[in-house]
Amino acid sequence: MAKVKYYYDSENLAYRKIKTKKRWKFGFAALFLVASALFGFISFVILLNTPYFDTPKDRLLIREIENLKLNYAVLNKKMDQVDDVIEAIEDRDNNLYRTYFNTAPIPEEERKSGYKDINRYTALEGYDNTQLVLNTTKRIDVLSKQLAIQSKSLDHILKLAKEKDKLLSAIPAIQPVRNENLKRMASGFGYRTDPFTKAKKMHEGMDFTAKTGTPVFATGDGVVSQADNKASGFGNHVVIRHGYGYETLYAHLSKYNCRAGQRVKRGDIIGYVGSTGRSEGPHLHYEVHKDGKVVNPLNFYYGNISAVEYVAISKLANQENQSLD
């Protein structure tokens, strides 16, 4: 039962009951409800944003997130070290290995291109630490691409290294007739006077004069593709395919000492000097072809002559005289 309150009426010298108006009661009640709601809202906000109110699970998650950030930082430092190592390998690959094997370097933009799929990283977006995870993932992808390209490059270099000895053996690097067997170097590569028409004509090889029956040597390792007299003007002749784009022709032989399909080594006797076909006297007509085009044989004599002999032959070969075929 509510307490009854009185006040003292001094005029009538008596105590009278205090009567509370109903609207005041409602006002006090409403004020109490508003104050209670405001207090509850403030308490809720404080609960959400104050670490003092974290649950054990929340604290565990926070520790895991901080630990992951630390791991990503360590991972990025390790990737910096890997970057330095790969950069050094790429530099040696482009400027040493590929230069030695006469192979074009791999462009920088190709090595560090990464992946161009714009949807590749969609699943990583929309999180608090998206930028950290995204940047690290992209770096890993770039490094993976670099390692894949470098691995293929080194495989290619290894293959070139294994082929290097074969290439050096295949290049037509010696004279087809020994110096001591030569009467003279009759005609070189370039425009010469045709012995039959007396007109200027491109002479696509070199003419070596020697006695009939003088041995003719294969100038590089290869396989004989022709050993016959079916080509017009060449008479008895031999063609050797050396591989790597090289091919040599030996014409006007008195006879050949090999057959089509036979594998020969540099220095093997493949025929003998003669004057068969369109020829004005005993000599060897010798041609070198690279990738289907005739080239000057003089550029390949480094296997069996000295510098002095090379200079002498070069002077004779460059004289604009008359060819013998």
Side-chain angles (χ1 to χ4, degrees):
M1 185 174 178
K3 291 182 178 181
V4 179
K5 294 182 178 182
Y6 296 87
Y7 73 96
Y8 181 70
D9 186 356
S10 59
E11 291 182 0
N12 298 311
L13 302 176
Y15 287 95
R16 298 189 182 276
K17 186 186 295 185
I18 298 174
K19 295 181 180 179
T20 304
K21 296 181 179 180
K22 290 184 178 181
R23 64 174 181 272
W24 286 10
K25 291 182 179 181
F26 286 117
F28 286 132
L31 181 60
F32 176 76
L33 292 175
V34 170
S36 299
L38 183 60
F39 177 77
F41 177 74
I42 293 173
S43 300
F44 179 74
V45 171
I46 292 174
L47 184 66
L48 287 179
N49 294 279
T50 304
Y52 300 109
F53 295 97
D54 285 343
T55 64
K57 186 176 180 181
D58 291 336
R59 288 192 292 271
L60 179 62
L61 287 174
I62 290 170
R63 281 198 300 270
E64 288 181 356
I65 290 171
E66 293 303 318
N67 189 42
L68 285 174
K69 286 181 180 179
L70 179 61
N71 288 337
Y72 270 98
V74 172
L75 179 60
N76 274 279
K77 286 185 178 180
K78 289 183 178 179
M79 283 193 288
D80 289 337
Q81 296 173 350
V82 174
D83 258 336
D84 292 339
V85 173
I86 292 179
E87 188 174 338
I89 294 173
E90 289 174 346
D91 182 64
R92 289 199 298 271
D93 186 40
N94 277 347
N95 301 311
L96 179 61
Y97 308 143
R98 289 181 168 270
T99 299
Y100 177 75
F101 291 108
N102 195 27
T103 304
I106 300 174
E108 187 73 9
E109 56 271 16
E110 182 181 339
R111 287 185 181 275
K112 297 184 177 180
S113 59
Y115 296 92
K116 297 181 180 179
D117 183 8
I118 58 175
N119 297 320
R120 185 179 181 85
Y121 308 104
T122 303
L124 302 177
E125 296 177 352
Y127 298 97
D128 292 340
N129 297 295
T130 286
Q131 204 57 46
L132 174 63
V133 176
L134 198 59
N135 291 340
T136 305
T137 304
K138 286 181 178 179
R139 286 195 68 187
I140 291 173
D141 285 347
V142 170
L143 285 174
S144 299
K145 188 80 173 288
Q146 284 180 267
L147 288 171
I149 291 173
Q150 187 58 53
S151 176
K152 289 181 180 179
S153 177
L154 291 176
D155 287 343
H156 183 222
I157 294 298
L158 180 61
K159 183 178 179 181
L160 289 175
K162 290 179 179 178
E163 293 288 325
K164 189 71 173 181
D165 288 341
K166 294 181 181 178
L167 170 61
L168 293 175
S169 298
I171 294 174
I174 65 173
Q175 285 186 161
V177 179
R178 287 198 182 103
N179 276 342
E180 58 266 27
N181 294 330
L182 291 176
K183 288 184 177 180
R184 63 190 175 94
M185 233 295 303
S187 181
F189 181 88
Y191 283 93
R192 301 291 184 268
T193 302
D194 187 285
F196 299 99
T197 66
K198 305 304 179 182
K200 288 283 186 180
K201 180 183 176 184
M202 181 62 185
H203 189 242
E204 296 185 336
M206 296 183 75
D207 291 341
F208 297 90
T209 58
K211 291 181 180 180
T212 298
T214 299
V216 174
F217 303 97
T219 56
D221 295 359
V223 177
V224 176
S225 62
Q226 288 177 249
D228 54 44
N229 60 359
K230 296 178 182 178
S232 175
F234 286 144
N236 293 331
H237 69 285
V238 172
V239 176
I240 300 176
R241 289 180 180 168
H242 303 276
Y244 307 97
Y246 290 102
E247 187 175 276
T248 50
L249 165 71
Y250 313 77
H252 309 303
L253 305 173
S254 59
K255 62 179 180 178
Y256 33 82
N257 189 46
C258 56
R259 65 183 185 280
Q262 179 180 339
R263 184 170 290 279
V264 294
K265 294 284 187 180
R266 179 185 292 148
D268 288 351
I269 297 175
I270 57 171
Y272 301 90
V273 171
S275 188
T276 57
R278 190 176 185 271
S279 170
E280 277 218 327
H283 75 288
L284 171 71
H285 175 79
Y286 173 64
E287 294 182 7
V288 176
H289 296 245
K290 179 69 169 74
D291 297 327
K293 298 179 181 179
V294 289
V295 293
N296 193 343
L298 187 64
N299 298 331
F300 296 88
Y301 300 148
Y302 61 83
N304 65 342
I305 62 174
S306 67
V308 174
E309 289 172 327
Y310 179 85
V311 171
I313 291 174
S314 178
K315 287 180 179 178
L316 291 171
N318 288 321
Q319 292 178 359
E320 291 194 13
N321 53 8
Q322 178 177 289
S323 66
L324 293 176
D325 45 40

